[in-house]
Amino acid sequence: MRKIIVILFFSFLLYGCETTDKDIQPDTERNVKQENSDLANELHLNSNGFYEYHSNTLNIQIQPVIKSELKYWVSTIKVKNVSQVKSEFAGGSFSSKKEETSEIAKKSKAVFAVNGGGIQFKSRSAVIRDGKVFRTGFAPLEIRKNGTLFIGDGRRTTEDMLEQGALHIFDFGPELLINGKVPSFKNQDWFTTVRAPRTAIGQRKPYEYIIITVDGRSPESNGMTFAELVKVFQSKGVTWAYNLDGGGSTTLYYLDNILNHPSDGEERQISDILYFTE
């Protein structure tokens, strides 16, 4: 039986992202306040703004961070088995259908979910889910059967990926960290200056995943640049990180609730999700 344990922290952890951009400095960071007390109790939000979920096979910690004109969530998910890392299509099958993240997640019995790679947006990319090929070609991000992440290049085929243990693959991008190194386009304007809502996944060790979800395009949160995302991942010791679908698609689902504020004002219908379950 899964159970949720609330652990009270006496100080809100600071992320300390070293960056030249003043908008992501920690001087205005503050604790998250949950206005809806019933919802806070339901999600076991402690007084310092952390969500925590613990079972014998799945551990989740979600830290909301509020700074000047910026709000994001850093979710650390640890699984016992990689079979708990899943992806699902809208409508339950590989097609052109679209549904809201929460709809797909609830039907999949997800504990935690985010929007995926936008398989219909990246219509020429390879698609592998649960080790099954739905579309051939190439996709950079691999979630492998040994619980690790890997980011490859365009020389890899679907056969290569399957042979080396790919369980799920995603193509949206860009790459953020490849074996600890920032990609060569790190100094290009689009990487360093454009802020938007973001969803990205990273890893520091097998079976442990860090997902960053960023609100954007609103007075409360401008969003992040890719360079800023990299800084947050690096501050958490992440060595592999990849940007998933974002913008209006960015959605953070946790225990039947949406924690973030999608920039469209409501959930956008999307083609696929990445989720974690018991």
Side-chain angles (χ1 to χ4, degrees), residues 191-210:
F191 195 81
T192 59
T193 63
V194 178
R195 290 193 173 86
R198 309 286 185 195
T199 302
I201 183 172
Q203 185 170 61
R204 54 189 172 195
K205 60 184 179 181
Y207 303 102
E208 179 180 287
Y209 308 88
I210 294 179

Side-chain angles (χ1 to χ4, degrees), residues 14 32 88 146 206 216 220 275:
L14 221 60
V32 172
E88 183 57 275
N146 62 1
E220 293 76 25
Y275 72 97

Side-chain angles (χ1 to χ4, degrees), residues 230-248:
V230 168
K231 291 292 185 182
V232 179
F233 276 123
Q234 287 176 322
S235 76
K236 302 300 292 182
V238 167
T239 54
W240 296 88
Y242 188 80
N243 185 67
L244 298 170
D245 190 7

Side-chain angles (χ1 to χ4, degrees), residues 18-263:
E18 296 178 2
T19 175
T20 58
D21 193 306
K22 65 181 180 180
D23 288 335
I24 200 170
Q25 295 299 315
D27 56 338
T28 57
E29 184 173 331
R30 63 187 186 275
N31 293 355
V32 172
K33 302 297 182 183
Q34 177 55 259
E35 295 179 0
N36 185 331
S37 59
D38 291 337
L39 182 60
N41 290 333
E42 179 185 344
L43 299 184
H44 299 269
L45 176 68
N46 69 34
S47 61
N48 287 310
F50 284 79
Y51 303 91
E52 294 225 346
Y53 177 98
H54 295 282
S55 76
N56 292 330
T57 62
L58 179 63
N59 291 284
I60 300 171
Q61 182 190 79
I62 304 172
Q63 181 184 13
V65 180
I66 296 179
K67 301 183 180 182
S68 177
E69 299 180 341
L70 176 64
K71 186 173 183 179
Y72 63 97
W73 291 256
V74 179
S75 304
T76 303
I77 302 110
K78 299 178 183 179
V79 298
K80 186 175 182 179
N81 193 295
V82 74
S83 63
Q84 297 171 260
V85 185
K86 294 185 174 293
S87 180
E88 183 57 275
F89 303 122
S93 62
F94 182 66
S95 68
S96 59
K97 293 180 180 178
K98 292 185 178 182
E99 291 182 296
E100 294 177 349
T101 297
S102 61
E103 290 183 84
I104 309 172
K106 287 176 182 178
K107 287 186 284 190
S108 303
K109 299 182 178 179
V111 176
F112 177 103
V114 291
N115 51 290
I119 58 170
Q120 300 307 328
F121 182 80
K122 292 280 189 173
S123 58
R124 296 184 180 180
S125 301
V127 177
I128 296 174
R129 296 291 190 273
D130 289 316
K132 180 180 178 181
V133 178
F134 291 90
R135 190 166 62 205
T136 59
F138 171 69
L141 177 66
E142 302 174 26
I143 300 177
R144 292 182 164 179
K145 295 176 181 178
N146 62 1
T148 64
L149 296 186
F150 179 79
I151 298 171
D153 60 33
R155 292 171 292 183
R156 293 173 63 76
T157 65
T158 45
E159 290 76 15
D160 294 331
M161 290 182 273
L162 285 173
E163 188 175 309
Q164 295 182 26
L167 183 67
H168 312 295
I169 63 173
F170 295 88
D171 184 11
F172 200 88
E175 302 91 333
L176 300 173
L177 285 167
I178 301 176
N179 202 18
K181 296 181 179 179
V182 185
S184 58
F185 41 69
K186 64 182 179 181
N187 294 319
Q188 296 184 23
D189 285 346
W190 61 269
F191 195 81
T192 59
T193 63
V194 178
R195 290 193 173 86
R198 309 286 185 195
T199 302
I201 183 172
Q203 185 170 61
R204 54 189 172 195
K205 60 184 179 181
Y207 303 102
E208 179 180 287
Y209 308 88
I210 294 179
I211 293 179
I212 298 176
T213 313
V214 186
D215 273 356
R217 299 174 183 166
S218 74
E220 293 76 25
S221 186
N222 292 329
M224 275 191 192
T225 68
F226 295 123
E228 290 167 343
L229 264 180
V230 168
K231 291 292 185 182
V232 179
F233 276 123
Q234 287 176 322
S235 76
K236 302 300 292 182
V238 167
T239 54
W240 296 88
Y242 188 80
N243 185 67
L244 298 170
D245 190 7
S249 300
T250 289
T251 309
L252 174 55
Y253 171 96
Y254 173 67
L255 292 178
D256 295 331
N257 289 275
I258 301 302
L259 297 188
N260 74 314
H261 297 88
S263 63

